[in-house]
Amino acid sequence: MSQQIPFIIYAESTPNPATMKFVANKYLVPKDVTYESVDIDNNPLSPLAQSLLNFPFVKKVYIATNFVSLTREEVVEWEDVVHQVREFITEFLNNGGIAYKGGAEEELPQGDDTSYTAVAAHREAKSEVEKNIIAILDEYVKPAVENDGGAILFDSYNEGKVNLILKGSCSGCPSSVMTLKSGVENLLREMMPEDVQEVVAVNG
């Protein structure tokens, strides 16, 4: 029997100064799922998020593919706690801790009384236009945004307006508006000129 490869975690800064990205050498969630939480008492699907939110300086946890993005409170600087957090995540996972125990089919919509979301990477496409938008986002936007510890996900489309959801380091990032307008909007308008006129963030 081959020996299981241990988790190795390293930290990366992101364009959002409040958010740090912790990257693993293995997948943490199913390929098409993201998990985000802000509440220590409400994480039925992610023991890892539950544990990380025990740190008094951790404000929000976002988990996707092979990384965890943590948004800190203003009471600390990342340089003071990054090694502590990296070691904690490494030990947690290598001691059998679970990052995510839901399935890829899990969909838990965010509501006023819900402090976590575990959703498919995009809302289900209902038209050819929406399918094309999602395909463009996945091919051209997803790799760069995930590299920065975040996600820009498709939410809905109506009469030329594309609604997107910002996750992880993209949420609250000072440069997110520029990324949407100068990057994503221009890309979609160039590739789908007859269908896309505007791109907006529904949560930012």
Side-chain angles (χ1 to χ4, degrees):
M1 180 180 294
S2 60
Q3 187 174 6
Q4 187 174 10
I5 299 173
F7 279 94
I8 299 173
I9 306 294
Y10 66 91
E12 289 183 352
S13 59
T14 76
N16 186 343
T19 301
M20 184 69 69
K21 178 184 178 184
F22 296 86
V23 185
N25 59 330
K26 296 190 285 185
Y27 276 97
L28 301 176
V29 297
K31 183 178 179 181
D32 295 323
V33 167
T34 68
Y35 187 94
E36 187 169 66
S37 179
V38 296
D39 187 352
I40 187 176
D41 297 320
N42 193 21
N43 291 284
L45 297 180
S46 180
L48 176 59
Q50 184 87 26
S51 296
L52 288 169
L53 286 163
N54 274 308
F55 286 98
F57 52 82
V58 174
K59 182 178 181 180
K60 181 170 62 177
V61 177
Y62 174 73
I63 307 174
T65 58
N66 69 325
F67 69 89
V68 181
S69 287
L70 300 181
T71 302
R72 62 170 171 79
E73 299 282 3
E74 295 182 357
V75 294
V76 299
E77 295 296 331
W78 274 119
E79 62 184 21
D80 297 325
V81 296
V82 64
H83 296 297
Q84 175 189 3
V85 174
R86 183 180 63 81
E87 290 177 3
F88 175 84
I89 296 173
T90 302
E91 291 181 7
F92 180 91
L93 295 172
N94 283 324
N95 288 330
I98 299 172
Y100 178 78
K101 59 183 179 180
E105 75 284 353
E106 197 79 37
E107 182 165 346
L108 303 169
Q110 178 109 19
D112 293 338
D113 59 349
T114 303
S115 57
Y116 70 93
T117 54
V119 299
H122 296 291
R123 303 299 185 193
E124 183 179 356
K126 298 179 180 179
S127 68
E128 284 302 314
V129 171
E130 293 181 347
K131 290 178 182 178
N132 289 336
I133 291 170
I134 290 173
I136 291 171
L137 291 174
D138 282 345
E139 182 173 356
Y140 297 98
V141 178
K142 181 179 178 180
V145 175
E146 282 198 349
N147 191 54
D148 288 336
I152 297 178
L153 309 178
F154 175 77
D155 181 72
S156 60
Y157 169 83
N158 184 40
E159 298 181 352
K161 182 179 180 181
V162 180
N163 295 310
L164 302 176
I165 299 173
L166 305 182
K167 293 285 189 178
S169 63
C170 294
S171 180
C173 178
S175 62
S176 62
V177 174
M178 182 179 299
T179 299
L180 278 180
K181 293 299 180 180
S182 300
V184 181
E185 182 175 277
N186 286 348
L187 175 67
L188 288 173
R189 290 178 66 180
E190 179 179 342
M191 300 187 73
M192 303 178 65
E194 297 181 0
D195 301 305
V196 177
Q197 283 81 50
E198 181 183 15
V199 171
V200 299
V202 298
N203 64 329

